[in-house]
Amino acid sequence: MTPLNPTTPNETRDASAGPDSPDLTAAPQPAPAPAPALLPIATGRETAHTVAALLRASRTRIAAIVLLLLGGSSSTLLVPRLLGWLVDLVTGGAGVAALVTPGVLLLLVTAVSALLAYAGIRLLVALVQELVSSLREDAMGVVLAMRASQAESSDSSDIVSRVTGDVESVTEAASGVLPAVTQSSFMIVLSLAGIAAINPWLGLAALVAVPVQVLATRSFIRRSRPVYAEMRVAEAERGQVIIEGVSGADTIRAHRRQAHQLAEVDARSLRSIDLQYEAARIRTTFFGRLNAGEYLGVAAILIVSFWLVQAGAVSVGGATAAALYFLALFGPIGSLLSSIDELQLAGVGLARLVGVVGAGRHRVSDRQGDVAPAAPVEVLPETQSGPSAMPAIAVDAVDFSYDGERMQLSDVTLTVAPGERVALVGESGSGKSTLAQLIVGAFDPTGGSVLVDGRTAADRERDASVMLVTQEIHVFAATIAENLRFGAPAASGEQLADAVREVGAEWLLELEDGLETRVGASGLALDGAAAQQLALARVLLRKPAILVLDEATAEGGGDDPLGLDAALTVAASGRTSVVVAHRLSQARVADRIVVLRAGKVVELGAHDELVRRGGEYARLWAAWQSASPAG
């Protein structure tokens, strides 16, 4: 049985321009990459257009929500009039019997208002949650569909913050703030109409507060929006530094860079705190100005009411109703204007989400707009003897650079016939993994072309016939069976067991719960070699036509105690395969071997032929045999 431990396989990539070490098992050193870029952020117009498109499909529900909330707000506004009626009855000396009717109406209006508001808010929250969920799924779909070149050129913390923190801010605003804002808006309009209906002069008095509140709101929006946007970016940058500190802890300790990394975290954290402090200062100023506007409005209403009552233009009950209407405005106006703070945050989060969705939409649009036929593939003589004149893989004069300066591949040409097994070998940094990544379409070549079944990477972006297995295998927090079904959801239990046996992982079946054993973060931890067995079993279940294996058995150790070489042979059998050979025993059984050095193809041929030539491969083979336990 394989040992189990919590180690995680390390990611590797051949990316340097030249060989760094003759050790074939050494991890390639990545070339310096440009600073990660942030994903696009949608403009206000793009965000509004996207939200409007989502809302168009729910016109009927929106109409019902408006009617319910409007009805609830209208009912609420009857309360001050009923209270004013009661005041007039009391000041006029009416008996208790006369107070029954307005009292009963007051209770009924309150109950009806509460029920209508509850029904409207419930429908609104349900609708908004569905829309946010749809937007979140679209954004997540774009992230999952990203090619490696786009994902790796983007800030990982920026991606994570958009599908977590931004979604959370939008969801919170949609569930708690938007219903309150909608209802408050109705209340404000109807309350002002109620005040004006009692007496137009009272309506004008109520408007005294409006200029102060409008100016305060405009100033707040102008000053806060850029601060909130910068806060989101600062939080993403702080998260990125923390992620790098955790994932690169071993390297940081090895180079004694702990103090430097902590200083970076401190600097990003202090920047985020400074922005939060600035945002809090802007909010405090805003709320102070709102309060000043409210006090001016109350003073104006009281002064005008006193004048109108003295003039006999309004009764005491009417003046009371007008004052109650205005006092009732404090809640809705305060709720509406103070919600601008949360709506600002939600608006920034929504723009960032829409930016992700828009990026995916533009990518699809660009791909659909490119209708030019693929360039004809020149079939080299070595492939014409195969079962098909069209090579399964055609790499033609390919150049590639990660950073646009140093070339990791230079003028690489290679064809792989259908059903052929080709091994890529070379010293660390020779370009093996880079070539494998280009074949599966993770990156676009800097020059030349890479065609698989006559198609470019963009044409086969969602093609399940090409599969890549790397040294870095992710084990999901689920059962072994669920992990195996990741690429073949309909596989039966018997098919799962057969695949496990074929890759030599019978020990999985011998566990107490068998394939129903939970693994990953919430269960049994699999070491790197066990994870690679799981990945090769997934290959057998998915049955891809073309398989690219990039150091897919590196965790097996030099003497391969788990038999991963045999499992690799089983996985590659019957299909076109390209194997980045971790051990030269894997290259020996290949149909052809491609030897790379400093990003160039220096030798190509079968094992016996290359050994007889006495060149680069023969040297590597001799070094391998002398280092092998059996050598």
Side-chain angles (χ1 to χ4, degrees), residues 50-87:
T50 299
V51 172
L54 291 171
L55 291 175
R56 274 195 290 271
S58 305
R59 295 188 186 92
T60 304
R61 294 171 67 184
I62 293 173
I65 290 168
V66 171
L67 290 174
L68 287 169
L69 292 178
L70 188 59
S73 300
S74 302
S75 302
T76 301
L77 293 177
L78 291 175
V79 172
R81 296 305 299 264
L82 292 172
L83 290 173
W85 183 11
L86 286 170
V87 169

Side-chain angles (χ1 to χ4, degrees), residues 144-158:
L144 291 174
M146 281 182 179
R147 294 172 62 191
S149 55
Q150 184 181 6
E152 293 190 10
S153 66
S154 301
D155 188 326
S156 60
S157 181
D158 182 48

